[in-house]
Amino acid sequence: DDLQRDPWTPKPGERSMKSVGTALSVAVSLLEASYSGQGARIMLFLGGAATQGPGQIVSEKFSEFIRSHLDIQKDNAKYYKAAVKFYQGLAQRASAAGHIIDIFACCLDQVGLLEMKPCVENTGGYLVMTESFNTPMFKESLRKIFDRDEADALKMGFNANIEIIPSRDIKVSGAIGPCLAVPKKSNHVSETTIGQSGTTTWKIGGVDKNSSIAFYFDMANPNNQVYPPGKQAFIQFKTVYQHSTGQLHLRVTTMSRRFAEQNTMVELAQSFDQEAAAVLMARYSIQRSESEDTIDVIRWLDRMLIRLVSKFAEYSKGDPNTFRLPREFSLYPGFMYHLRRSSFLQTFNASPDESTYYRTLLLRENISNTLVMIQPALMQYSLNDEEPVPVLLDINSMKNDVILMLDTFFKIIVWYGEEIISWRDQGYQELPEYEHFAQMLEMPKEDADTVVAERYPAPQVIYCKKVSDPNERYFKAKVNPNSGNTAGNAIVESGNNFNDDVSMQVFMQHLIRLTVDS
């Protein structure tokens, strides 16, 4: 709060002169020389893009626009490749020294998060993006980093290493998450590479209770090997990290899985974790989208979904009416539907920095938080229920006599139906006989405050306080654009639900048809 603005104002028509890359390089070098191998954080507070020096993102002239997705695709981004190479080098140096780089980007314009992404991803740092340093989101997120536990120790770990030791039947394809591969030759490395690959050891500069890394495995001999009944495969994870108190902690986790018998789908189906599978596919698709066109990634997701459903669903060939999907797979197509239309894959109307921000956070969060990102949670508050109840993520849930709270992880949106707004504006909540209505109005606010207190980074809370509120667009962009039952739904009845996406119902109809015809 005591910081003052730079007195050197830029010339008219020019951006402020910012040597972000130089400043970050100096910080990395100082810690390398004085504190190598010990836990440390570098916090970078960005109010604009680098306009000079190494790591430059854009020129000083406002007449030159900062790069877009299309510029990068067409190789028209003048500074992009050199900046990426520079920040990748800084990230590798910081990771090798066991240090973390956090980035707080607080600016209405882009600041170069796409180029600086390795600094966060490869060191396990935090990434926060908001409009200004005065927002509650920034202040709360910065405060939470320094939270302490019951023993008055910071809730963070440093300089972590994860090593995988599998049985000889298993090979490691790679890892996707906030880590960096440590070159190490091993017979357990698969020829199939995914993410940070070519090793069985990874380095993580910073870890906390929500840090999550996805590991991908392959069979050592998938085509010719026949396993006897009951044969077990073993995978051991050995994690070493420095606690904030300076102590080294070692955690060893060993898991065992039994090989399924050949040509037997029942055992595989019973052990299928559709939520974990959805998160693994989400991370893999994001990793592929960095080198492939979005439409190609979505087509790949569709092919994988059709192959999976074709193997495990029960149906008569050519007859959609006989299609039945086991309960272990019942939620998985819905996850893929929402992933296809999410901002993690779709870049339309999003800047490269926005896409980078969303993707970076998904790659580091645990399963429950990632599922909220992919398929937001929708809670309904009504006078008929004492407690909030989950409802379908559908346009038809926007009824006139309810309050809805949509949790997208990045935003919490509280939406009020027309009747609720009318009763509130008439002041019913002020009357003693309508105390239950006043309590209903407060419940979503209290629940939103609870989520903000527990989540990192702190989400933005948005209230749609009036009929046809402009913020309603955030809500409609996430719900299923169905238009079936319109009873008691002014949004659908008015036709004010324009959306180019197909509904979940149409998506499932196409999936079933393609499956039974394959």
Side-chain angles (χ1 to χ4, degrees):
D1 292 338
D2 296 331
L3 293 177
Q4 298 179 354
R5 295 183 63 89
D6 184 355
W8 301 99
T9 57
K11 297 178 181 179
E14 293 186 2
R15 298 179 174 90
S16 300
M17 297 178 65
K18 296 183 185 295
S19 303
V20 177
T22 303
L24 190 57
S25 178
V26 170
V28 171
S29 299
L30 285 173
L31 282 179
E32 270 183 326
S34 61
Y35 219 56
S36 182
Q38 298 296 318
R41 310 191 78 97
I42 298 171
M43 291 187 170
L44 176 62
F45 299 90
L46 280 175
T51 55
Q52 63 178 6
Q56 182 177 352
I57 305 299
V58 67
S59 74
E60 299 172 8
K61 305 292 185 182
F62 273 124
S63 57
E64 179 180 320
F65 296 107
I66 196 167
R67 77 282 179 275
S68 64
H69 282 292
L70 188 60
D71 292 331
I72 297 171
Q73 291 172 4
K74 294 187 174 182
D75 200 19
N76 288 333
K78 181 178 179 181
Y79 307 101
Y80 175 70
K81 291 183 178 179
V84 168
K85 184 177 180 181
F86 173 76
Y87 290 114
Q88 281 178 342
L90 288 184
Q92 291 172 358
R93 287 170 54 192
S95 179
H99 301 151
I100 309 165
I101 299 177
D102 304 317
I103 297 180
F104 297 85
C106 300
C107 183
L108 290 171
D109 199 0
Q110 297 186 76
V111 297
L113 289 185
L114 176 61
E115 290 83 352
M116 290 185 282
K117 176 181 64 173
C119 294
V120 174
E121 279 192 356
N122 294 347
T123 67
Y126 293 123
L127 178 60
V128 176
M129 185 178 75
T130 183
E131 295 176 354
S132 110
F133 291 108
N134 293 322
T135 60
M137 178 181 174
F138 164 72
K139 294 180 180 179
E140 186 67 15
S141 298
L142 181 61
R143 183 194 63 78
K144 285 181 181 179
I145 292 181
F146 302 101
D147 282 349
R148 294 177 178 268
D149 58 19
E150 296 79 5
D152 200 34
L154 292 171
K155 296 180 179 180
M156 61 180 74
F158 302 90
N159 201 15
N161 280 275
I162 296 182
E163 181 180 3
I164 293 181
I165 306 173
S167 55
R168 63 180 183 179
D169 307 296
I170 303 294
K171 288 197 172 186
V172 182
S173 295
I176 299 179
C179 62
L180 186 65
V182 177
K184 182 179 179 181
K185 293 184 179 180
S186 172
N187 294 329
H188 297 298
V189 175
S190 172
E191 295 180 359
T192 303
T193 59
I194 298 176
Q196 297 286 339
S197 56
T199 185
T200 57
T201 304
W202 293 265
K203 184 103 171 179
I204 313 172
V207 292
D208 58 35
K209 66 177 183 178
N210 288 327
S211 296
S212 176
I213 299 176
F215 294 100
Y216 297 80
F217 299 92
D218 197 2
M219 301 300 297
N221 194 356
N223 298 321
N224 304 321
Q225 186 73 30
V226 178
Y227 299 103
K231 181 176 175 58
Q232 299 279 335
F234 299 91
I235 301 176
Q236 186 175 87
F237 298 87
K238 188 169 69 173
T239 307
V240 181
Y241 69 94
Q242 179 186 346
H243 192 260
S244 60
T245 58
Q247 296 177 333
L248 286 179
H249 288 197
L250 168 64
R251 174 178 294 176
V252 179
T253 305
T254 305
M255 56 177 288
S256 172
R257 291 293 183 270
R258 185 165 59 88
F259 285 102
E261 297 182 13
Q262 277 193 326
N263 303 320
T264 302
M265 293 297 177
V266 177
E267 288 184 274
L268 291 176
Q270 292 175 346
S271 64
F272 184 73
D273 187 334
Q274 53 191 332
E275 294 181 342
V279 174
L280 289 168
M281 289 298 288
R283 293 197 183 201
Y284 194 11
S285 61
I286 288 176
Q287 192 259 336
R288 292 176 66 111
S289 67
E290 295 181 356
S291 57
E292 301 179 28
D293 290 337
T294 299
I295 187 63
D296 294 331
V297 176
I298 292 177
R299 287 170 179 166
W300 170 78
L301 276 175
D302 291 342
R303 291 195 301 270
M304 294 298 103
L305 177 60
I306 294 170
R307 285 178 57 185
L308 179 74
V309 171
S310 299
K311 284 183 177 293
F312 293 98
E314 298 177 5
Y315 57 89
S316 297
K317 189 172 179 61
D319 187 359
N321 296 322
T322 61
F323 181 89
R324 190 184 74 83
L325 199 59
R327 61 181 178 84
E328 293 86 358
F329 300 84
S330 59
L331 301 177
Y332 186 77
F335 292 141
M336 293 299 101
Y337 166 77
H338 289 286
L339 177 61
R340 295 170 84 260
R341 64 195 294 262
S342 70
S343 54
F344 303 110
L345 295 182
Q346 302 287 352
T347 58
F348 176 75
N349 203 30
S351 68
D353 278 16
E354 287 179 295
S355 299
T356 298
Y357 178 65
Y358 296 138
R359 292 172 177 179
T360 301
L361 262 63
L362 184 143
L363 296 183
R364 65 163 289 130
E365 286 297 330
N366 57 33
I367 289 178
S368 59
N369 285 342
T370 303
L371 289 177
V372 171
M373 296 182 191
I374 297 172
Q375 182 172 322
L378 185 61
M379 303 298 293
Q380 173 183 287
Y381 302 80
S382 72
L383 295 173
N384 299 324
D385 301 301
E386 294 183 359
E387 298 292 332
V389 295
V391 293
L392 292 176
L393 189 64
D394 193 285
I395 191 76
N396 292 322
S397 296
M398 300 176 71
K399 299 177 182 178
N400 299 328
D401 58 349
V402 302
I403 302 174
L404 298 175
M405 187 178 80
L406 180 68
D407 183 3
T408 71
F409 187 88
F410 305 99
K411 292 183 176 69
I412 296 175
I413 307 165
V414 180
W415 179 87
Y416 299 88
E418 284 192 16
E419 291 182 7
I420 301 296
I421 293 175
S422 175
W423 296 339
R424 183 201 62 197
D425 292 345
Q426 294 178 54
Y428 279 93
Q429 68 275 15
E430 307 294 338
L431 303 176
E433 59 268 31
Y434 290 97
E435 182 182 358
H436 59 296
F437 179 61
Q439 293 175 350
M440 174 185 167
L441 290 177
E442 290 300 318
M443 286 177 65
K445 298 179 183 178
E446 294 173 356
D447 290 346
D449 291 341
T450 300
V451 175
V452 170
E454 295 176 351
R455 182 168 296 165
Y456 191 92
Q460 179 185 6
V461 181
I462 299 173
Y463 292 95
C464 302
K465 297 182 177 181
K466 58 184 180 181
V467 178
S468 300
D469 193 295
N471 289 322
E472 207 173 68
R473 69 188 189 276
Y474 298 118
F475 198 105
K476 293 178 182 177
K478 294 296 182 181
V479 297
N480 173 31
N482 193 8
S483 57
N485 179 23
T486 64
N489 190 322
I491 299 293
V492 177
E493 289 175 351
S494 66
N496 187 21
N497 63 326
F498 300 109
N499 199 305
D500 292 333
D501 292 334
V502 299
S503 67
M504 177 72 172
Q505 181 181 7
V506 173
F507 176 79
M508 286 302 300
Q509 288 174 352
H510 281 281
L511 174 61
I512 293 171
R513 180 176 56 80
L514 291 170
T515 300
V516 299
D517 291 342
S518 61

